[in-house]
Amino acid sequence: MCNVAVDILKASTTHTPNRAFTLFVPSSLRLLPLYMLSMMKSIGFRAGGGSRWDDRAYFLGLCKTLPTEYLMQIFYPDLYPIHTIEDKSQVIQDGEDELHIPQRVHLSFQHIDSHGAYVMDACEYIYIYIGKAISDHFVQNVFNVQTFSALRTDLYSLPELENSLSIKIHNFLSYLTQSRPHGVAIHILREDSPNRHLFTRHLVDDKSESTMSYVEFLRYVRDQIVN
């Protein structure tokens, strides 16, 4: 799959002789390395024995049937910090109501803070990741518990509470899912959950034991093209 990315970009990329490391990639292909790397790290295509055959078969079935916009989201989910939804979000009018949309961040631990809470929209699943140092104010107003330690390890629904923060988060989740042609499952994960890998495996910008980071992959592709 690495070679496919290199061949496609090599056929459509130019570089100046006196600046061998400057590549000019068509705008339509600039995200190709990102999605190729995401595919290589996905359940369906990653090397090694870390995935069950049933999971691989299901994933490959999705690749054949899902519309492109949803398939891209499975490979590279949308990640939003929701602990700042009241302070740092885009506000748009939704009829008579205001809809608060947090700014998307890259899929990297660089953007994950133990003091934060994050929504990852992976098309079929929405993961809500709660950092272990999240404020008591947040868990009280969103989960109706007093502290992080009182939050159950894994939850599959978000309580609807009569306060501003809870309403903003529920409205945002509805905004993400309202146009989906299929149902979306919610999985809420604490930072110390044994299932936290369901969230962290999607942080494809980072390096893992067997795969390159996005920056390393870009360098690899560039070197293959210019050499």
Side-chain angles (χ1 to χ4, degrees):
M1 201 171 288
C2 284
N3 293 334
V4 172
V6 170
D7 290 343
I8 293 173
L9 292 173
K10 199 168 189 176
S12 55
T13 300
T14 59
H15 60 88
T16 57
N18 59 336
R19 297 177 64 190
F21 295 105
T22 302
L23 301 178
F24 297 93
V25 180
S27 58
S28 59
L29 294 177
R30 285 177 183 170
L31 292 178
L32 178 65
L34 177 64
Y35 283 106
M36 294 298 279
L37 179 63
S38 301
M39 288 178 67
M40 288 188 290
K41 293 187 176 186
S42 68
I43 292 174
F45 296 98
R46 66 186 173 202
S51 301
R52 298 181 303 176
W53 284 109
D54 287 350
D55 292 336
R56 286 183 184 269
Y58 175 73
F59 194 91
L60 293 174
L62 292 178
C63 293
K64 296 177 181 179
T65 56
L66 277 181
T68 302
E69 62 177 304
Y70 298 123
L71 187 59
M72 291 171 67
Q73 198 170 37
I74 283 181
F75 285 128
Y76 197 86
D78 299 324
L79 180 62
Y80 305 90
I82 55 170
H83 56 284
T84 59
I85 195 169
E86 293 189 303
D87 307 317
K88 300 177 182 178
S89 60
Q90 178 187 5
V91 181
I92 62 175
Q93 286 298 131
D94 184 20
E96 297 182 355
D97 301 322
E98 288 186 344
L99 178 63
H100 291 248
I101 304 175
Q103 184 176 2
R104 282 179 58 188
V105 296
H106 292 292
L107 296 176
S108 170
F109 262 116
Q110 179 181 351
H111 301 287
I112 304 298
D113 191 324
S114 289
H115 293 83
Y118 303 86
V119 162
M120 178 182 284
D121 185 0
C123 186
E124 286 197 309
Y125 296 91
I126 286 182
Y127 299 102
I128 302 178
Y129 181 84
I130 310 299
K132 61 184 178 182
I134 192 73
S135 70
D136 292 344
H137 169 80
F138 186 91
V139 294
Q140 289 165 8
N141 284 275
V142 177
F143 296 102
N144 200 28
V145 297
Q146 293 304 305
T147 63
F148 171 83
S149 59
L151 188 64
R152 286 173 51 190
T153 302
D154 288 83
L155 294 169
Y156 299 93
S157 63
L158 194 65
E160 295 189 37
L161 305 177
E162 293 298 324
N163 64 72
S164 173
L165 180 57
S166 178
I167 291 171
K168 286 182 174 67
I169 291 175
H170 274 279
N171 288 344
F172 173 59
L173 293 175
S174 296
Y175 164 78
L176 293 179
T177 60
Q178 63 187 358
S179 62
R180 300 285 166 85
H182 52 75
V184 180
I186 291 179
H187 194 168
I188 301 166
L189 299 160
R190 289 173 31 149
E191 183 178 347
D192 56 0
S193 167
N195 292 318
R196 69 191 294 267
H197 68 279
L198 297 174
F199 176 88
T200 59
R201 71 184 180 188
H202 292 289
L203 300 177
V204 297
D205 285 14
D206 294 333
K207 183 176 182 177
S208 67
E209 292 182 1
S210 58
T211 59
M212 292 177 275
S213 69
Y214 179 49
V215 172
E216 290 172 333
F217 186 65
L218 284 177
R219 289 173 182 160
Y220 169 81
V221 171
R222 181 198 63 186
D223 291 344
Q224 295 300 306
I225 292 173
V226 300
N227 292 334

